[in-house]
Amino acid sequence: MRPGNPEALQHPYDPARVESRWYAYWEERGMFQPRGDAEGATAGRGRFVIAIPPPNITGSLTMGHLLGESIRDLIVRWQRMEGRETLYIPGMDHAGIATQNVVEKKLRADGRSRHDLGREEFLAEVWKWKEEFGGLIFRQERRLGTTPDWTRERFTLDPGYSHAVLHVFRALFEKGLVYRGRYIVNWCPRCRTALSDEEVDHVETQGSLWHIRYPISGTEKFVTVATTRPETMLGDTGVAVSPKDTRYAKLVGKTAVLPLVRREIPIIADAMVDPKFGTGAVKITPAHDPNDFQTGKRHGLAELVIMDESGVMNENAGDFRGLDRFEARKRIVAALQDAGYLEKVEPHTLSIGHCSRCDTVIEPYLSWQWFVKMVPLAAPAIEAAKKGRIKFFPSRWKKVYLHWLENIHDWCISRQLWWGHRIPVWYRGDEMVVSIESPEGEGWRQDDDVLDTWFSSWLWPFATLGWPEKTRDLERFYPNSLMVTGSDIIFFWVARMIMAGYEFTGEAPFPHVYFTSIVRDAQGRKMSKSLGNSPDPLAMIDRFGADAVRFTMIYLTPAGQDLLFDEKRIETGKFFANKMWNAAKLVQMRIGDEDLGAVKESQLDLSLADRWILSRYANAVKDVTRNLKTYRFNEAANAIYHFAWNDYCDWYLEMAKPRWAEDADPTDRRTARWVAWKVFDGILRLLHPFMPYVTEELWQALPHDGDCLATASWPKSKKSWFDAGVERDIVFLQEIVVSVRNMRVEAGLQPGRKVSVVVRGTPEQLDLVERLAPQLRPLARIETLTVSRDGGRPQVAASSVVQGAEVFLPLEGLVDLGEERERLTRDASKLLDELEGVKRKLRNQDFLNKARPDVVEKEKLRLAQLEETLEKLKRAQESLRVSQG
RNA sequence: GGGCGAUUAGCUCAGUUGGUAGAGCACUUGCUCGACAAGCAAGGGGUCACUGGUUCAAGUCCAGUAUCGCCCACCA
């Protein structure tokens, strides 16, 4: 046992001061590293491994990170204290598009583009940027007190990690699961790259449906098509109608003349056309619409690309060449109208895809890209969730996950960027090889494209551990134990990690996935830069302290719901930390120099109050632990908060104060000291994963056992400490205290004024009151406490009924009694309502016959108690009337 | 078009197998009594969105309605 440090608590609680002290202390002791790294270490009680969802190198700390990190570190610290060998893997994502955008923007400010630099030099610029600004988020994170093993930090573009990515590409290619093809993809004309389906955000938009007349060749007639994108008509190579549509049956096989362009295009019948939509006739633009692309393939229609990669009309657009797609739309509509081809325009709601990076409207674009065949990869991931080998918390995400996997499309993984893993494919004439190293011989040219960022991060749980090499880390720490992340990346990342886990390691990368709340502002809006509604996390930590921020985020996060955040609420955590600080001060001041660690329980004489707080403590340990195990973090925070504040500070410490006095009985004083210290020590342990800094500080300021709280053991509930009977006894005491305090206030007594109290009740109750008298007196400021065994009662008194016992506060000559009478009437009417409810229940034959016997018994008891209480209140009212009259 | 979630105190939300409605903040009143005014004490405030059903008993289970929010979908 080590002595505390009284000096540490001499000043008021100051988070900044406390929180600057411990991070280096922990880190120097290597406590962030798995225990097994040390020479001759033992495995301990199993392992716990969790990986950070790698933030983008462009990122800085957001409210979302704050919540995620608070939760991950909460679990890691708890598991470490539980004795497990823990590893929290940190690292960052190169974030292809996001990072390239940032650096290009910087170049643009100097009037340069990446093309001015060339590929090599541009990448050098990005690396330079990465070295300078890339680590910001982790520098910020240290302030939060999280405990990743920084010696194992990984980056998705590290040589080893890159090797894993290219290895995977090659392996999938060899298996026939990666292929190259010319298809319609989601194209961002601003980023000038292809995107996956998941990188497109759909927004409901009020658009128009343009009805355009296409003349039928060799006749005066025309067929009217309806479209939401008139500009694509320049690329039309057919018109389709439904084969079942009798209106148009005669037209099939004929040709139409494309307005403005005068190209003859066939009229075909295809089942994809819904006769009920629009006019029932559809223009077919195979190069600019995924549906039309399929239709075109079925009918051998030409694929005519009319835009370039920036969304500007190209040489196939005739007079409209050089126009931006939206300008072209206006001009084309105008030209159609002028020439009499435009039949009508209807308002039409549709959902338009936007680039999730830059919000530019997505263009379906025909191009050569690399794809991953997903159906075979999805199969084991689907089975894993169905069989429960992977569980989601909250569980409803399982449905979302399965729905996506069961309707999965192939994944477009090539990006027309420079920052990323360059596709390991080489071309020479018609030859193509997939190879991580450049092939032997002259004239090979590597594919220009890089891989989707998520094609590297889907390997995160094992590539961070050295896979595909069979490293010691991989053996020790894979699979991981848990994934904690946001539900917004369930498809991007979680589902793909699971697929990759099964494909490349043959097992699930983790058994559990916990989805954190989405942090929104007080009005429920998403936190965003443009709205300016996100508090600056660092400023917040400075203002309230990391402990306060961590605790409050966890205290507020509802399981499975969004978190509506208001900065003011961080006060909850700050005030709580302050409360613990002051409680420590009191305990510290009163426990003296005695070596409490050496005290054995057999040397103590536990009072009812002691047994009560130990029982409550045992319950708190159970509650906190259970709620952590079931990922109900807010409930866990709630449990420790209320135990520490209400039970321990408000009641136990108040009851212990007189027992610490100089003239108190030595054994009793020692007992009160030991229990107060012991329970507070436990509170600090339970609270440490939530508030690491202040708990460490307080723990070391008090007598403690060991090097630091961060590696101390997690408390266990002692069976012998649970005592429901004592808990009931103290509830009785608490109710008496509250009733006396209430009577005092109602009677308008000075707060400091001592009073006399008389209690009447059953012999058992009176015995209990006598045993509890030493605690009762100071809590309720009672001068003389009398138990009335002969049934006597004061004549003029305020009174209340507690569990059937009567508590009297003699008022003779103290106040006018009007207030008191009002209070009694209020109490009585409240009781009357309750009584009516219970009576109704007990009159109900069905209730008596069908409810569980113990429930019926309870109701009967309650009836008796209510009636008795009411009776006593009436007598009190009566006696007041008599005494005043 | 499909799916999911929410609706409980003025606000934000808990409420784990159905059995006397809770917290924080806000509000009212009173407190410089040796840990803490970032505090203590006492209080006020709720037909648990609506309708119906199951049950002895529903905030809790079931069905439907309304409002709000989110996700998915090749919605010319």
Side-chain angles (χ1 to χ4, degrees):
Chain A
M1 184 63 48
R2 308 181 185 196
N5 170 23
E7 301 303 312
L9 302 178
Q10 288 309 300
H11 49 87
Y13 172 55
D14 173 11
R17 183 169 172 162
V18 173
E19 292 174 10
S20 59
R21 298 176 52 170
W22 297 107
Y23 202 83
Y25 180 91
W26 293 323
E27 203 173 9
E28 279 159 17
R29 279 161 183 73
M31 60 151 274
F32 303 172
Q33 280 164 263
R35 208 180 316 113
D37 284 7
E39 208 67 38
T42 52
R45 308 179 52 225
R47 295 198 176 93
F48 183 86
V49 186
I50 187 168
I52 193 172
N56 292 351
I57 52 170
T58 55
S60 75
L61 213 56
T62 65
M63 294 306 297
H65 292 127
L66 228 52
L67 174 64
E69 286 301 280
S70 297
I71 290 175
R72 281 184 290 274
D73 197 55
L74 165 70
I75 301 173
V76 169
R77 283 182 179 269
W78 161 53
Q79 287 294 311
R80 192 179 287 126
M81 291 176 78
E82 287 273 22
R84 309 236 151 70
E85 180 182 21
T86 53
L87 173 60
Y88 182 12
I89 307 164
M92 284 186 289
D93 194 306
H94 67 281
I97 302 183
T99 309
Q100 181 159 327
N101 280 351
V102 167
V103 177
E104 285 196 277
K105 199 171 167 188
K106 200 177 149 222
L107 287 178
R108 237 187 342 270
D110 303 340
R112 296 187 297 172
S113 82
R114 70 175 147 128
H115 300 285
D116 296 335
L117 301 185
R119 189 161 189 147
E120 297 271 313
E121 208 183 316
F122 176 74
L123 288 179
E125 275 300 307
V126 185
W127 276 106
K128 227 171 79 189
W129 185 92
K130 189 245 173 194
E131 293 316 318
E132 198 173 340
F133 305 107
L136 173 67
I137 194 161
F138 285 151
R139 289 194 292 278
Q140 294 174 322
E141 198 178 311
R142 284 163 177 259
R143 276 286 280 115
L144 201 59
T146 58
T147 58
D149 179 359
W150 297 112
T151 68
R152 281 177 167 82
E153 183 177 340
R154 298 304 298 267
F155 179 50
T156 48
L157 272 177
D158 283 345
Y161 200 106
S162 296
H163 175 77
V165 174
L166 302 182
H167 174 89
V168 158
F169 182 94
R170 190 182 54 192
L172 289 176
F173 178 83
E174 284 167 0
K175 242 182 136 171
L177 294 180
V178 153
Y179 63 92
R180 187 164 182 258
R182 189 165 177 263
Y183 294 100
I184 300 259
V185 293
N186 304 298
W187 184 270
C188 174
R190 200 215 61 88
C191 302
R192 285 197 267 170
T193 180
L195 301 171
S196 65
D197 295 343
E198 289 68 40
E199 288 167 294
V200 178
D201 296 333
H202 294 273
V203 182
E204 286 263 298
T205 311
Q206 193 53 246
S208 303
L209 196 58
W210 283 272
H211 293 241
I212 308 169
R213 291 170 177 160
Y214 284 19
I216 295 160
S217 309
T219 73
E220 296 297 307
K221 293 180 178 161
F222 51 80
V223 56
T224 304
V225 299
T227 180
T228 55
R229 303 182 58 214
E231 70 279 12
T232 62
M233 68 159 292
L234 302 179
D236 284 1
T237 55
V239 170
V241 297
S242 169
K244 292 180 194 154
D245 197 332
T246 51
R247 292 175 296 171
Y248 296 119
K250 285 186 302 234
L251 297 182
V252 176
K254 299 208 158 96
T255 59
V257 181
L258 193 58
L260 309 182
V261 181
R262 311 208 151 277
R263 186 165 63 236
E264 297 232 349
I265 56 176
I267 299 171
I268 56 166
D270 193 286
M272 61 82 75
V273 180
D274 174 3
K276 289 193 285 293
F277 187 92
T279 61
V282 188
K283 59 191 270 313
I284 302 296
T285 324
H288 290 276
D289 182 278
N291 260 329
D292 294 4
F293 180 76
Q294 297 298 335
T295 310
K297 283 274 185 236
R298 281 195 292 273
H299 297 270
L301 302 180
E303 293 156 3
L304 186 65
V305 177
I306 57 161
M307 285 176 209
D308 68 13
E309 56 179 34
S310 302
V312 171
M313 308 310 279
N314 68 10
E315 66 279 1
N316 293 326
D319 296 344
F320 302 96
R321 177 182 182 170
L323 292 177
D324 175 79
R325 51 191 171 146
F326 296 115
E327 182 60 24
R329 175 181 297 177
K330 280 188 211 154
R331 303 267 188 101
I332 286 167
V333 168
L336 287 170
Q337 179 145 36
D338 289 348
Y341 292 114
L342 189 65
E343 189 173 297
K344 64 171 171 175
V345 185
E346 287 180 334
H348 179 69
T349 311
L350 73 168
S351 108
I352 297 179
H354 293 73
C355 172
S356 59
R357 274 292 144 206
C358 71
D359 212 36
T360 301
V361 172
I362 290 299
E363 193 62 38
Y365 192 64
L366 184 60
S367 54
W368 282 98
Q369 304 290 345
W370 286 93
F371 299 86
V372 180
K373 242 182 231 168
M374 297 305 278
V375 171
L377 296 180
I382 289 169
E383 202 196 329
K386 284 189 171 164
K387 294 255 172 78
R389 286 197 288 271
I390 293 183
K391 289 198 172 75
F392 297 97
F393 300 85
S395 59
R396 66 186 149 86
W397 290 104
K398 176 176 163 182
K399 241 185 177 173
V400 177
Y401 167 91
L402 285 175
H403 180 258
W404 186 76
L405 284 172
E406 283 165 350
N407 296 281
I408 200 159
H409 293 90
D410 284 358
W411 176 14
C412 174
I413 53 170
S414 43
R415 296 290 177 272
Q416 288 63 50
L417 306 171
W418 288 347
W419 177 244
H421 304 92
R422 192 161 174 180
I423 293 180
V425 175
W426 306 76
Y427 308 92
R428 184 170 69 182
D430 291 341
E431 294 175 86
M432 182 184 91
V433 280
V434 174
S435 164
I436 294 175
E437 308 298 328
S438 67
E440 300 282 320
E442 294 292 304
W444 289 102
R445 191 180 52 80
Q446 188 174 5
D447 196 304
D448 281 326
D449 293 349
V450 300
L451 293 162
D452 182 3
T453 295
W454 299 101
F455 191 83
S456 56
S457 38
W458 73 331
L459 313 176
W460 193 248
F462 46 91
T464 48
L465 298 170
W467 185 91
E469 309 308 321
K470 289 189 170 58
T471 59
R472 186 162 170 257
D473 270 10
L474 189 65
E475 199 179 293
R476 286 160 77 199
F477 303 123
Y478 188 82
N480 300 172
S481 313
L482 172 68
M483 170 54 56
V484 173
T485 189
S487 55
D488 52 334
I489 52 175
I490 183 171
F491 308 137
F492 274 121
W493 197 46
V494 177
R496 286 179 185 150
M497 274 191 290
I498 294 168
M499 289 188 266
Y502 279 105
E503 176 65 20
F504 303 116
T505 73
E507 56 187 322
F510 30 70
H512 290 178
V513 182
Y514 172 86
F515 290 111
T516 56
S517 304
I518 293 170
V519 183
R520 300 175 175 279
D521 72 5
Q523 282 96 57
R525 301 173 304 181
K526 235 174 181 164
M527 298 272 179
S528 82
K529 267 186 197 158
S530 52
L531 278 175
N533 59 349
S534 178
D536 173 0
L538 266 290
M540 219 165 65
I541 291 173
D542 287 340
R543 221 175 109 204
F544 299 101
D547 284 327
V549 171
R550 288 175 61 132
F551 181 85
T552 310
M553 293 308 288
I554 294 165
Y555 182 80
L556 289 182
T557 188
Q561 295 306 129
D562 292 350
L563 190 166
L564 268 56
F565 181 81
D566 187 339
E567 197 167 343
K568 184 170 163 45
R569 304 202 59 188
I570 301 295
E571 285 186 346
T572 307
K574 189 180 171 185
F575 293 173
F576 184 39
N578 182 58
K579 186 74 183 176
M580 291 303 101
W581 181 274
N582 285 299
K585 242 163 121 167
L586 174 67
V587 170
Q588 208 260 5
M589 197 183 294
R590 300 299 181 85
I591 57 178
D593 301 331
E594 190 167 349
D595 183 0
L596 293 169
V599 172
K600 296 209 171 53
E601 269 186 76
S602 57
Q603 292 173 267
L604 305 172
D605 183 14
L606 297 175
S607 70
L608 283 179
D610 298 324
R611 285 162 56 203
W612 170 74
I613 197 65
L614 289 172
S615 180
R616 298 295 299 157
Y617 170 62
N619 270 305
V621 170
K622 209 178 78 187
D623 263 13
V624 173
T625 309
R626 192 196 53 210
N627 283 312
L628 288 176
K629 272 187 188 147
T630 51
Y631 305 119
R632 286 203 282 247
F633 305 118
N634 59 333
E635 294 287 318
N638 209 39
I640 182 64
Y641 182 90
H642 284 109
F643 171 69
W645 200 311
N646 302 129
D647 289 339
Y648 184 76
C649 291
D650 290 348
W651 288 100
Y652 183 75
L653 289 181
E654 293 305 324
M655 290 192 280
K657 275 176 183 172
R659 302 165 62 199
W660 287 326
E662 289 305 317
D663 55 352
D665 170 75
T667 305
D668 192 47
R669 187 172 59 202
R670 179 197 284 151
T671 304
R673 284 173 167 175
W674 185 86
V675 173
W677 165 74
K678 186 73 188 169
V679 174
F680 195 69
D681 177 90
I683 288 172
L684 292 175
R685 286 169 199 253
L686 290 174
L687 196 52
H688 181 256
F690 300 85
M691 297 185 144
Y693 291 113
V694 70
T695 49
E696 183 76 63
E697 173 100 5
L698 297 178
W699 194 75
Q700 304 227 3
L702 292 165
H704 56 281
D705 196 2
D707 217 22
C708 64
L709 177 56
T711 50
S713 64
W714 188 250
K716 295 251 174 297
S717 292
K718 258 199 188 176
K719 266 215 177 90
S720 62
W721 285 353
F722 288 99
D723 193 332
V726 165
E727 294 208 24
R728 274 195 301 277
D729 291 346
I730 297 295
V731 167
F732 183 55
L733 166 131
Q734 289 173 329
E735 287 181 4
I736 292 175
V737 169
V738 169
S739 81
V740 173
R741 285 170 176 171
N742 179 260
M743 288 188 283
R744 299 171 55 105
V745 168
E746 299 281 343
L749 295 184
Q750 298 277 320
R753 175 154 187 172
K754 300 253 182 179
V755 293
S756 306
V757 166
V758 179
V759 181
R760 233 165 55 144
T762 65
E764 293 76 29
Q765 287 176 324
L766 297 183
D767 287 348
L768 192 55
V769 167
E770 280 183 331
R771 287 175 69 194
L772 292 169
Q775 275 83 49
L776 261 168
R777 279 205 196 90
L779 287 171
R781 297 192 174 274
I782 298 169
E783 178 93 71
T784 53
L785 178 63
T786 316
V787 297
S788 164
R789 291 194 187 273
D790 58 5
R793 46 168 297 177
Q795 277 308 303
V796 185
S799 66
S800 55
V801 184
V802 174
Q803 297 188 14
E806 289 166 287
V807 182
F808 298 100
L809 185 74
L811 293 177
E812 200 100 48
L814 285 179
V815 280
D816 91 293
L817 305 172
E819 290 273 341
E820 171 61 12
R821 249 202 321 270
E822 257 175 50
R823 192 180 60 81
L824 288 172
T825 311
R826 234 179 16 242
D827 285 2
S829 91
K830 227 186 261 175
L831 277 179
L832 222 51
D833 288 349
E834 248 186 279
L835 190 68
E836 205 34 61
V838 177
K839 275 185 175 164
R840 206 177 314 120
K841 248 183 187 178
L842 288 170
R843 271 199 303 269
N844 184 343
Q845 207 52 41
D846 285 331
F847 174 72
L848 296 176
N849 293 336
K850 294 180 186 170
R852 277 207 326 267
D854 62 303
V855 174
V856 176
E857 213 33 57
K858 236 167 96 184
E859 285 304 312
K860 282 182 176 164
L861 204 68
R862 221 176 119 218
L863 176 74
Q865 280 170 352
L866 285 171
E867 278 178 333
E868 197 189 330
T869 306
L870 203 59
E871 183 55 35
K872 285 168 180 166
L873 284 180
K874 276 186 185 147
R875 274 214 308 272
Q877 282 174 299
E878 190 56 32
S879 98
L880 274 187
R881 191 163 22 233
V882 168
S883 59
Q884 216 175 27

